[in-house]
Amino acid sequence: MGKDGVDEISSLIESFVGKMNLDSSGPSNLYSRVGLISLSNTVEVIFNLNMTSDSDVNLKESEELSVDITGGLQTALQMFQDGKKLPNYRESAKQIIYFITNSAP
């Protein structure tokens, strides 16, 4: 994905998370934890369930055509598992994985 695509996706993610009004300073039962994983042929954790509405998304440009969906899914599932160790973990909270990609997985 080129620079324009990366900038567009970064803005989309920031807007999406911004609309969630994530403010970890309030009561823990009123906010969600968001993680961000970047993947192409490699997988990189950008935010490990600590992204907030004020976080800047700085994705890297890549010309790679392959996407390691399996690695991304495994990383996300491990992130959820590790999240159980965080303070104020909520068993009933929904765990959602949302993939945005410029190529077919």
Side-chain angles (χ1 to χ4, degrees):
M1 179 181 300
K3 182 176 179 350
D4 289 343
V6 169
D7 290 346
E8 186 176 334
I9 293 300
S10 295
S11 293
L12 174 72
I13 294 168
E14 288 173 359
S15 174
F16 176 76
V17 173
K19 290 182 188 312
M20 295 175 73
N21 194 22
L22 299 175
D23 179 7
S24 60
S25 66
S28 63
N29 62 335
L30 299 179
Y31 68 92
S32 298
R33 292 185 174 101
V34 175
L36 178 62
I37 301 169
S38 175
L39 52 129
S40 59
N41 63 330
T42 60
V43 177
E44 178 185 4
V45 175
I46 307 293
F47 292 101
N48 190 0
L49 298 178
N50 59 352
M51 186 172 183
T52 68
S53 299
D54 297 327
S55 297
D56 289 325
V57 176
N58 295 311
L59 300 176
K60 297 175 189 161
E61 189 175 338
S62 173
E63 297 301 323
E64 187 62 45
L65 298 178
S66 64
V67 177
D68 184 4
I69 289 290
T70 302
L73 180 59
Q74 289 171 338
T75 301
L77 293 173
Q78 185 62 52
M79 186 182 291
F80 290 150
Q81 190 65 29
D82 293 346
K84 292 179 179 181
K85 301 171 193 165
L86 294 173
N88 302 317
Y89 170 73
R90 293 174 293 144
E91 186 70 38
S92 61
K94 294 195 183 297
Q95 297 179 337
I96 299 169
I97 300 171
Y98 184 73
F99 284 104
I100 302 173
T101 179
N102 74 327
S103 60

